[in-house]
Structures are given as structure tokens and as C-alpha cells.
Amino acid sequence: MGPIKHKALINVDLGEAYGNWACGPDEELLPLIDHANIACGFHASDPLIMMNTVRLCKQHGVKIGAHPGLPDLQGFGRREMKFSPEELTAITIYQVGALQGFLSAESVPLHHVKPHGVLYGMMCRDYEVAKAVMQGIPKGVPVFGLAGTEMERAAADLGVQFWAEMYGDVKYNANGHLVIDRKK
């Protein structure tokens, strides 16, 4: 076997607590990861959680991405909803913008965007959904997504840099597509 050409980078969804409810061992994971996908308030998180998560990532040198989802706090962004393309672009701009406010306050750049849950799944299989979300991503900011999907095709068509990823904790079906469960 030859030398390893690329380091495997680890990205983790963080800041998915809400109010008094914790969700995941964020602080314990930070020393172990390269990139954090911070929830932006629609599927999880709130302003204090977002602010504190950005500060913790900065302390640990972790690159920060926005993790926008569908407006589904009760279902944790895992219930499919129908939106017009204009609405999908707007909810993406809104959520990414919320995180950018906290990043700006800490002088930290937005590194990437990684859609959450069922929105991610919808983008994988529906070109129009993927295109609408991509149009809400700031120019020059890459998107993390699943290779060989409509998400990758929309990114290429719109000139959005695409970083392919794989999951170690999510099921895949026989066609290589993710199975997004309503519960984990």
C-alpha cells in the first residue's frame, strides 16, 4: 500500500441542544474533530447554544459550518415537509445568516454548509430542492454532501464547491443512498 494522500477529516453535528436540554457530548468531541456543523435554530439549537458552540469550536481550532434544517424542532428536522424553491432558499439564507452573526462576533469565518436530516435526504434525491438550497449558500462557501446524488449535480451546475462525505453512523440502502430515520 502506498502513502496516504489525504487525511480523513471528521465532521460532527454540534450545538443541537435547545434551552435546558442537552443533546450529545459536544465538549468531549471537540478535541477529536476537524469540522463542526452547527445547528442553526430550525431543527435544533437556540441563540445561546449557537454562541457557546461557536466559542468552543474557536477555542479548539475546529472549522465551523452551518447546519440548516427544516423548521421542525419537535421532529428534530427528520419529518419531510413541502416548500417552494423560494422558501427553501430563504430558510437557508436565514439560518446560515444567523450562524454568520455569531461567527462574525468571534472573528471566525464560515467554513462550509452541511444540510441537516431530511433536508439533506431531499437534496440527495430531488434536483430542484438541492438547487434551491444551494442558492441560499453564500458565494465561495463549500457544501458537504453525498457523492453521486442530485445534491452533487446541483452544486456543480451552480458552481458551489462540493465536498463529498460518508457517514459512519447512518444506514445506507442497497442503492448507496442514506436512510434517514425519524428517530436514532
Side-chain angles (χ1 to χ4, degrees):
M1 177 182 350
I4 295 173
K5 293 182 180 181
H6 302 285
K7 174 187 174 193
L9 301 173
I10 298 174
N11 80 77
V12 175
D13 302 344
L14 296 181
E16 293 187 314
Y18 185 79
N20 294 328
W21 290 274
C23 182
D26 289 13
E27 290 188 49
E28 291 86 357
L29 290 170
L30 280 164
L32 309 172
I33 67 172
D34 303 290
H35 302 110
N37 315 306
I38 298 181
C40 298
F42 273 30
H43 76 277
S45 202
D46 62 37
L48 287 175
I49 299 290
M50 291 172 72
M51 182 172 65
N52 290 331
T53 305
V54 165
R55 288 176 176 167
L56 286 168
C57 288
K58 181 179 177 179
Q59 288 171 11
H60 288 274
V62 172
K63 292 184 171 106
I64 299 171
H67 196 40
L70 295 181
D72 180 27
L73 279 174
Q74 197 169 13
F76 195 64
R78 295 185 179 278
R79 297 183 292 187
E80 191 161 321
M81 301 173 177
K82 300 291 182 196
F83 290 95
S84 71
E86 183 177 53
E87 290 171 313
L88 288 166
T89 301
I91 67 172
T92 304
I93 292 169
Y94 184 92
Q95 292 177 83
V96 172
L99 181 63
Q100 284 181 307
F102 294 109
L103 292 171
S104 177
E106 294 295 323
S107 300
V108 175
L110 177 65
H111 181 267
H112 65 277
V113 172
K114 179 185 173 183
H116 169 79
V118 77
L119 179 60
Y120 186 105
M122 291 164 63
M123 291 174 70
C124 285
R125 65 181 183 273
D126 186 325
Y127 179 82
E128 294 303 319
V129 169
K131 182 177 162 188
V133 173
M134 296 291 174
Q135 289 171 331
I137 295 173
K139 300 286 184 231
V141 175
V143 65
F144 288 5
L146 191 61
T149 64
E150 295 301 318
M151 187 189 301
E152 184 177 26
R153 185 166 74 97
D157 288 351
L158 294 172
V160 176
Q161 186 180 2
F162 185 84
W163 289 24
E165 65 174 356
M166 63 159 290
Y167 285 83
D169 66 339
V170 177
K171 296 178 277 191
Y172 290 85
N173 66 22
N175 296 329
H177 294 115
L178 292 175
V179 177
I180 308 288
D181 294 323
R182 284 186 65 172
K183 290 183 181 180
K184 273 197 168 192

